[in-house]
Amino acid sequence: FGTSRTMQIDQRLYEGVDIEGDPVGLITYMRTDSVQLSREAIDSISEGFVLFDSDMRLVLCNDTYRQAYPLIADLLAPGANFIDILRKAATRGQFVDDSDEMDEWVKERIARHLGHTDPVVCRLSGERWYVISERPTPSGGVVKLLTDITEIKQQEERLRQSHKMEALGQLASGLAHEFNNVLTAVGGFSEMGLRDPGNAGRAELCFSEIAKAAERATDLTSQLLSFSRNQPTQTKVVDVGQAVWDLESFLRPLLGEKISLNIAPHDNGLLSLLNPSQLSQAVVNLVINARDAMYGGGSISIHTERTSLSPNEAELLSVKPGDFVAVRVTDTGTGIDDELKRRIFEPFFTTKPSGEGTGLGLAMVYGLATGAGGTVL
């Protein structure tokens, strides 16, 4: 402390403290005062704060932290052992009837306490959301911080709801587009049959195609119900070449007179595990996209083949090496630039005018391919 003058000044500053000329007294006072200041600082911050020492005993805890855990607020006192707090919390919670589950929960929490894992986001009492961070201290203790992010979560939820409503409107538009394709086929084949009602062969063909269109509409409805209920899509082994070939009579009425369609003969046994109705819808989406991009007419070709990818090729495409079934849809349109290519598989991205496209077609194609273990190029 330097000089006696300094000591006298210090005595005047800390009036009422008897240090008897001993600097140790002043040091003791200053340490006590520092603890009080630390408590006040910790109580004034917006984050929840708790400090455990190397023996897992609680040293400091502020009211914000206690308010986040009202079930165990009375336990969060200096000297309390972390493990005891956990067990009493489990007893007061939902684990009282299942000791094994309680023990497992306690072990997991102790491991997280000692392991100082990455911050976690969770909802605590009072429907409030927190980021919980745990950090080691130099002496072997643990500091825990609770950051209230409830307002952020509420804003995210409002934004998510807004996007959900927008997506719902776009989805409704897409469904109308898909069902319109089906109804176009039904109407076209019905008109074809009525032109020559005495032609039994043509009538049989028309009724067959109408039945297929109705089946596709049923499949689409079933997929929507499964999606709304978050049910897994049913898959089976499909002969892809034959399935694509069977779409020819359905696709031709959708293209008009200015666009020709060519489906190349396929090899037998091009088998893949997927949902057949999704395959049909994916091919239809690709063909419709090609049609809409060729305003002056042109041609569309569909080719199916067996192909193999080496380990190096598979790594570039982020798939497993082996045998694949390739479905190639090509057209004579002008194509799109590289900038747009980066976004064509984004859900709801479309280059069509408002009301004419949902941006879901290629996203669905990509989902089908990746779901079957493949990809889209």
Side-chain angles (χ1 to χ4, degrees), residues 304-334:
T304 56
E305 64 180 3
R306 180 181 287 102
T307 186
S308 296
L309 294 178
S310 67
N312 290 338
E313 293 171 329
E315 183 177 1
L316 290 175
L317 298 176
S318 299
V319 298
K320 295 181 179 180
D323 295 332
F324 291 81
V325 177
V327 180
R328 305 180 190 275
V329 179
T330 59
D331 61 70
T332 57
T334 57

Side-chain angles (χ1 to χ4, degrees), residues 1-195:
F1 288 88
T3 66
S4 59
R5 176 177 172 79
T6 305
M7 286 297 303
Q8 292 171 359
I9 293 174
D10 288 336
Q11 278 185 300
R12 287 196 298 272
L13 288 173
Y14 301 103
E15 187 175 355
V17 178
D18 183 14
I19 59 176
E20 299 180 352
D22 181 3
V24 176
L26 180 58
I27 293 173
T28 302
Y29 177 82
M30 291 178 67
R31 284 179 177 171
T32 303
D33 190 59
S34 296
V35 171
Q36 180 62 29
L37 288 174
S38 297
R39 292 182 187 276
E40 292 178 356
I42 291 169
D43 284 336
S44 66
I45 63 176
S46 59
E47 289 82 4
F49 177 95
V50 66
L51 169 65
F52 289 92
D53 63 17
S54 58
D55 295 325
M56 303 178 95
R57 293 194 176 278
L58 191 148
V59 179
L60 289 173
C61 180
N62 65 4
D63 288 337
T64 304
Y65 191 94
R66 293 187 181 93
Q67 290 169 6
Y69 294 97
L71 191 66
I72 57 171
D74 60 310
L75 305 176
L76 300 175
N81 184 273
F82 181 66
I83 297 177
D84 293 338
I85 294 173
L86 286 179
R87 291 196 173 278
K88 289 180 181 178
T91 302
R92 295 178 182 183
Q94 301 177 353
F95 305 111
V96 65
D97 296 328
D98 192 335
S99 59
D100 291 338
E101 187 176 354
M102 182 184 73
D103 289 342
E104 191 64 29
W105 180 78
V106 170
K107 289 179 182 178
E108 186 274 330
R109 286 297 294 112
I110 293 173
R112 200 175 85 185
H113 176 88
L114 297 175
H116 315 305
T117 56
D118 293 334
V120 296
V121 176
C122 64
R123 184 171 60 184
L124 301 178
S125 59
E127 300 298 310
R128 302 200 69 80
W129 287 87
Y130 295 90
V131 175
I132 304 177
S133 304
E134 298 179 312
R135 294 291 182 268
T137 66
S139 61
V142 176
V143 170
K144 297 176 183 290
L145 289 177
L146 300 184
T147 304
D148 193 327
I149 59 168
T150 305
E151 295 300 323
I152 297 176
K153 295 292 287 187
Q154 290 174 346
Q155 291 177 7
E156 289 178 351
E157 183 58 31
R158 288 192 290 268
L159 182 61
R160 187 180 298 110
Q161 184 67 16
S162 174
H163 287 171
K164 181 178 179 181
M165 297 307 296
E166 181 182 356
L168 184 60
Q170 292 174 325
L171 181 60
S173 176
L175 293 179
H177 182 72
E178 294 296 340
F179 275 107
N180 184 62
N181 291 340
V182 173
L183 292 175
T184 298
V186 171
F189 284 110
S190 298
E191 184 178 350
M192 186 185 301
L194 290 173
R195 287 177 185 172

Side-chain angles (χ1 to χ4, degrees), residues 241 245 262-266 301-304:
W245 185 266
N262 174 54
I263 301 181
H266 61 279
S301 299
I302 306 176
H303 181 72
T304 56

Side-chain angles (χ1 to χ4, degrees), residues 193-245:
L194 290 173
R195 287 177 185 172
D196 190 3
N199 189 328
R202 173 172 291 184
E204 182 179 356
L205 172 64
C206 291
F207 280 124
S208 175
E209 293 303 325
I210 291 172
K212 289 181 180 179
E215 183 179 357
R216 290 189 182 93
T218 301
D219 287 341
L220 180 59
T221 303
S222 177
Q223 290 177 47
L224 290 173
L225 291 174
S226 296
F227 177 78
S228 65
R229 296 168 185 165
N230 199 27
Q231 294 176 345
T233 301
Q234 293 185 349
T235 60
K236 65 179 183 180
V237 176
V238 177
D239 188 328
V240 177
Q242 186 61 47
V244 172
W245 185 266

